[in-house]
Amino acid sequence: MKKTESHLIFGGCQQVWQHHSNTLDCLIAFSAFIPSKAETEPCPVLYFLSGLTCNEQNFTTKSGFQRYAEELGIIVIAPDTSPRGENIADDPNYDLGQGAGFYLNATEEPWMKNFKMYDYITNELRQIVKENFNTNGKQGIFGHSMGGLGALVLALRNPDIYQSVSAFSPILTPSIVTWGEKAFTAYLGNNKDDWKQYDPMQLILSGKVANEILIDQGLADPFYPAQLKPEMFADACKKMGINTTIRYQDNYDHSYYFIATFIEDHIKFHAKNLSK
């Protein structure tokens, strides 16, 4: 690994690292906030997955999470959203290709060689974090939009790995909205049964569980309700007995101003669950 940035902030250290990923077959970057507490004792790890067009910098520089992660002693890891590079498949549209990995393992050409963000996050990145940072084995995950979708999918499919999950404005029913239909068709093919493993609502209805889910949704979000469908997800969680809190926030949109406003609540939510 190569450290490309290091900044003191609120007493902790905000870093950016770059490494060659064997899973993605390319160079990839992730940011790592290391609280001062990690200098003397192991800390829990919280992963943040960003949305379409983002990389490891958006959440790191815009959300203000470091103040609360330092106070609560949480290591926070924010990876890029997809493989990148001159030899990596791409698309001219913002919602497919580089910057739009959708946190799945692609099975269709030309994507299947590199677009394996599901395996990268759950296996390779997790091992890198374990080997290089002072962690205590407790792990949570959250994200925004496409990243909220990814966080819920990874948590629901891997409850032994992620003990806590939350999301901002997540894509909750990707199989029936245009963002998801486009990406899933390209990455996974036309068999919609193959899509269900990356669809939070379908995972809930199939019996996957989480101890507790927190979601914040802005009511001035231009992608709500056409792309995000929180009401449908809430109905599925109620039907299956999943403890889910969806907070609808008046006048808030889809931006990082929205995330920055409620990031303290989410960091505290994860700190509570990761301390159990």
Side-chain angles (χ1 to χ4, degrees):
M1 293 205 304
K2 177 183 179 181
K3 187 191 295 182
T4 60
E5 291 186 38
S6 183
H7 311 280
L8 185 66
I9 178 170
F10 298 119
C13 186
Q14 179 62 64
Q15 305 169 351
V16 177
W17 294 84
Q18 186 182 65
H19 72 103
H20 178 83
S21 166
N22 293 324
T23 305
L24 307 175
D25 193 21
C26 70
L27 284 174
I28 191 165
F30 66 88
S31 78
F33 174 77
I34 313 301
S36 58
K37 184 178 180 181
E39 296 175 4
T40 57
E41 60 184 281
C43 294
V45 179
L46 181 57
Y47 293 87
F48 184 87
L49 307 184
S50 292
L52 290 165
T53 75
C54 294
N55 57 28
E56 78 286 347
Q57 293 286 347
N58 299 73
F59 176 72
T60 304
T61 59
K62 295 181 178 180
S63 70
F65 78 89
Q66 292 94 342
R67 178 190 296 273
Y68 312 109
E70 168 64 18
E71 290 175 359
L72 295 166
I74 299 176
I75 296 168
V76 180
I77 305 294
D80 200 347
T81 56
S82 78
R84 297 181 193 267
E86 291 184 4
N87 298 318
I88 306 296
D90 201 6
D91 188 273
N93 295 301
Y94 77 97
D95 52 358
L96 190 67
Q98 297 185 36
F102 272 83
Y103 305 101
L104 49 73
N105 291 334
T107 57
E108 298 292 305
E109 296 289 359
W111 314 104
M112 60 187 298
K113 180 178 184 292
N114 305 102
F115 281 70
K116 300 176 182 177
M117 290 300 293
Y118 180 93
D119 280 353
Y120 173 71
I121 301 294
T122 55
N123 298 321
E124 185 176 7
L125 179 60
R126 189 164 59 92
Q127 188 64 30
I128 286 172
V129 170
K130 179 181 178 181
E131 292 175 356
N132 290 278
F133 303 107
N134 192 12
T135 69
N136 66 6
K138 297 289 185 68
Q139 296 170 102
I141 192 165
F142 66 150
H144 171 232
S145 194
M146 177 187 71
L149 158 65
L152 287 162
V153 167
L154 268 63
L156 288 167
R157 290 179 56 180
N158 302 278
D160 55 325
I161 296 176
Y162 306 105
Q163 291 86 46
S164 185
V165 62
S166 73
F168 297 91
S169 312
I171 307 169
L172 293 165
T173 62
S175 297
I176 61 170
V177 301
T178 55
W179 272 344
E181 289 174 340
K182 178 179 180 178
F184 285 2
T185 300
Y187 295 140
L188 303 173
N190 293 316
N191 186 348
K192 293 189 176 183
D193 285 339
D194 294 336
W195 301 4
K196 293 179 180 179
Q197 62 185 315
Y198 300 112
D199 186 313
M201 188 177 76
Q202 294 300 322
L203 289 171
I204 291 289
L205 292 173
S206 73
K208 300 295 185 183
V209 298
N211 291 329
E212 185 179 9
I213 298 172
L214 171 65
I215 293 172
D216 271 302
Q217 174 61 58
L219 291 178
D221 186 329
F223 304 113
Y224 164 78
Q227 296 279 16
L228 307 178
K229 306 290 186 185
E231 292 84 2
M232 292 183 67
F233 184 76
D235 289 343
C237 289
K238 183 178 181 180
K239 177 181 178 180
M240 302 303 291
I242 304 298
N243 180 13
T244 302
T245 299
I246 301 181
R247 308 191 307 183
Y248 295 93
Q249 307 291 0
D250 285 336
N251 301 317
Y252 282 92
D253 57 21
H254 200 73
S255 71
Y256 272 86
Y257 297 109
F258 165 59
I259 294 174
T261 302
F262 299 103
I263 192 65
E264 180 180 6
D265 294 348
H266 283 249
I267 299 292
K268 288 181 175 179
F269 170 83
H270 289 282
K272 177 192 72 173
N273 288 327
L274 295 175
S275 67
K276 294 179 180 177

